[in-house]
Amino acid sequence: MRHTSSHTPRNPARPGFSLCISQDSTLLKDYMAEQLAAWPPAPGLSWERWVFWAERKKDLDNDFWSKLTMQSLFRRPRAILLRQAQLLEAGILKEISSALGRANPEVWLFLCLETEFERGKPKLAAHITRLQCYVFARKKGWIREIPPLDARAKKLFIQKEASGLGLRLKAEELNQLLLALPQDAGAMRLELAKLSLASDSAGALAPEALRLLEAEPDMDIFAFLKGLQSGRSPERVWARFHKNMLRKENNSLFAFLGLLLREGRALWQILAGEATPGLPDYVRADKESLARSLDFGGLARIWDLALRAHKGVLSGEYDEQQAFELLLADLFQLFRV
C-alpha cells in the first residue's frame, strides 16, 4: 500500500484522517467535536456523524466498511468515529490502513486509540505503530496525543468549565476543587455541573455548596445498588450511611448523591464500551452485568432521581432524611423493573 497525495481531502487544510490517542474519553470526544466544528466539509453542509465500537464485533460489519469507502450519491460528508481501535486484531487494522490509502474526500475517519499513558507517552502495541497509516499520519501531523490531565491542565480545565457554567470561583474554592475533584474530565464536568445548581444568579457558590463533593470512602455504593437489584433490603449499607450522617455534621445526603452519580457514570461508560483504566476484569464484569440490567434508560433515571432529591432539599420541600428515604424508595422501584 502506498500512502500518497491522494490522501489530500477536498479541503486541503484538514487531515485526510486522524489518529486520536487518549485514555480520557471526555477529552477525546471534546477534541473530535472541536475538529469537526473547525473544519466544516463545505458551505451549507455539516458532518454526518457515525460512531462504531471496535470491541463490538457486530459494529464492524458491512455498514462500517461501506461508510468508510463508498462515495455518497447525495454528497453527505461523513465523520466516522471508530472508538477503542486499539482492541482490533492486527489484520483488521491493516485492512483499515489499506482503505485509508484510497482517499474518499467525503469521509473523515477518527481512529481512536484509547490507551493508558506512561511517562507522558501512550502505550501502543508494535503492530499499531508499524501500520502504514500510522507512519503516514505521523509524518503529516495527523496524530493527536491527549495525555491525562496533570495538575496544571486540571486547573485550566476546571477554570474553563466553571466559566462555561457561569460559576465565579474564589481562589480558595478553586484550590478545594483541585484537591476534591477526580482526575477524569467527565467526572469533573459532572461534579461542576452539580455545583452550578447550587450557585446564585451571579455565579457565586453558597458556603455549603462544596459539601456536594464530599463522599465517605467506606460507603460502598456498588454494594448498595447490588443489594437493591437482588431485592434484599440494603440495611447494612444504609445503616453505615445513616451512622456517618449522624456522626459527621458535614456528611449528608449530598455525599451519597455524589457517590451515586459517580457510580452511575461509571456504569454508563461500561455499557457504552468506554475504557475504564485500573478497573480489574472481575469488577468490570460484575458492574457490566448491573449496567446491562438497567440499560441506558434505567441509568439515565438515576440522574433524574438524584436531581429531584437534590432540588427537594435545596428548595426546602424535604429535609435530608425525607429526601433520602424517598430516593431509596424510588431506586428500589427502579431496580425491581
Side-chain angles (χ1 to χ4, degrees), residues 309-327:
H310 175 239
K311 284 187 173 181
V313 173
L314 292 185
S315 67
E317 185 177 359
Y318 313 117
D319 60 29
E320 291 189 17
Q321 178 84 10
Q322 292 170 327
F324 186 85
E325 290 175 354
L326 288 171
L327 176 62

Side-chain angles (χ1 to χ4, degrees), residues 16 32 39 45 53 57 65 89 144-145 156 159 165-166 184 202 205 233 258 269 275 291 295 304 310:
M32 291 188 289
W39 304 113
L45 293 178
W53 293 87
K57 299 301 183 183
W65 292 104
E89 297 174 1
R144 176 61 181 264
E145 295 180 1
L156 293 174
Q159 289 174 321
L165 291 166
D184 179 76
L205 293 175
S233 179
Q269 285 181 301
D295 204 13
D304 292 337
H310 175 239

